[in-house]
Amino acid sequence: MARDYWFPGRWVGGTSMILGPLLLLTGTLLRSPFHFFYPQQLAAAVEHPGLLTAAYTCFLAGNVLMWPAVITLAGKIGQTRPAWAGWAGTLVVIGLFERTFHAGVDQAAVNVARHQGLAAAAKFVSDFYPDLHLFSYLSFTIMFGWYVLAVAAYLSRAMGLIRSLALAAMGLLPLGVLKGTEVVSVIGTVGLCVAFLPMGVHLLRTAPRPTRRSVLLALPVTVGLAALAYVSTLG
């Protein structure tokens, strides 16, 4: 029995600590040539569909991949500061859910722009903003959670001062529907890379090597998951 196992494990946690921040930074940089606010982001999505699709897809993928990274860091914090770990990890993960919700609205707005025109899409977004929903009350977690996590990482010595400050910079990343890139967006995502990449590399280097049996088992599982992913696109 693997008595020292912790969820999600070194391989998943380490990989997400590397890929998540890098994908967020890539998405942030790809949409940086275009104006920050949603009318210009919608226009760019129509005029440069490939570039903007890549930008928003990378950002969304990075955001989703951050939950194992955050859970992994919270587990490390929890070894000495369990209360801080619980609060910080929960707040950041809820914030990640919120950004994923915004990404769904982004996708809907872009589809409206491409099929019904920019005016209809701009009206769709402007009508959405004042509407209240569950995540209207949880928007503070998107930024505030990173500050709490950074403090927790420092107090628990899971990270040193520099990397904790870099982690806190993620709280500068703007929130909302169809937000482009500002200077603080780059600062935040670069800070996330500084905070998480060294820990991710360390986790992968110290992870137990996969056995031949587990590698052979992973091949059909990967094929099966790819087939399910295709089936999912069929509705």
Side-chain angles (χ1 to χ4, degrees), residues 175-194:
L175 68 152
V177 172
L178 286 168
K179 290 296 190 294
T181 297
E182 293 187 316
V183 173
V184 292
S185 309
V186 179
I187 293 173
T189 48
V190 168
L192 192 66
C193 291
V194 171

Side-chain angles (χ1 to χ4, degrees), residues 32-134:
S32 62
F34 310 103
H35 195 275
F36 177 74
F37 288 106
Y38 71 86
Q40 291 79 16
Q41 290 289 306
L42 286 169
V46 173
E47 296 167 8
H48 308 277
L51 179 58
L52 266 292
T53 297
Y56 278 90
T57 300
C58 284
F59 192 90
L60 174 59
N63 183 73
V64 172
L65 278 174
M66 284 311 302
W67 75 260
V70 172
I71 295 299
T72 299
L73 177 57
K76 190 172 180 62
I77 293 169
Q79 293 174 8
T80 56
R81 302 276 184 164
W84 277 96
W87 281 106
T90 299
L91 287 170
V92 174
V93 170
I94 291 174
L96 295 175
F97 289 158
E98 175 118 10
R99 283 199 187 275
T100 304
F101 171 78
H102 288 161
V105 181
D106 293 346
Q107 182 65 48
V110 169
N111 286 344
V112 172
R114 290 174 179 169
H115 296 293
Q116 300 182 27
L118 290 175
K123 185 176 186 305
F124 171 82
V125 176
S126 63
D127 289 344
F128 167 82
Y129 266 107
D131 288 344
L132 289 178
H133 47 79
L134 173 62

Side-chain angles (χ1 to χ4, degrees), residues 107-171:
Q107 182 65 48
V110 169
N111 286 344
V112 172
R114 290 174 179 169
H115 296 293
Q116 300 182 27
L118 290 175
K123 185 176 186 305
F124 171 82
V125 176
S126 63
D127 289 344
F128 167 82
Y129 266 107
D131 288 344
L132 289 178
H133 47 79
L134 173 62
F135 284 114
S136 298
Y137 302 95
L138 299 172
S139 292
F140 74 94
T141 62
I142 294 180
M143 295 181 171
F144 184 67
W146 292 105
Y147 300 138
V148 178
L149 187 65
V151 172
Y154 178 71
L155 292 177
S156 65
R157 299 295 184 264
M159 290 182 178
L161 179 61
I162 300 301
R163 286 172 57 209
S164 296
L165 290 173
L167 183 63
M170 186 61 179

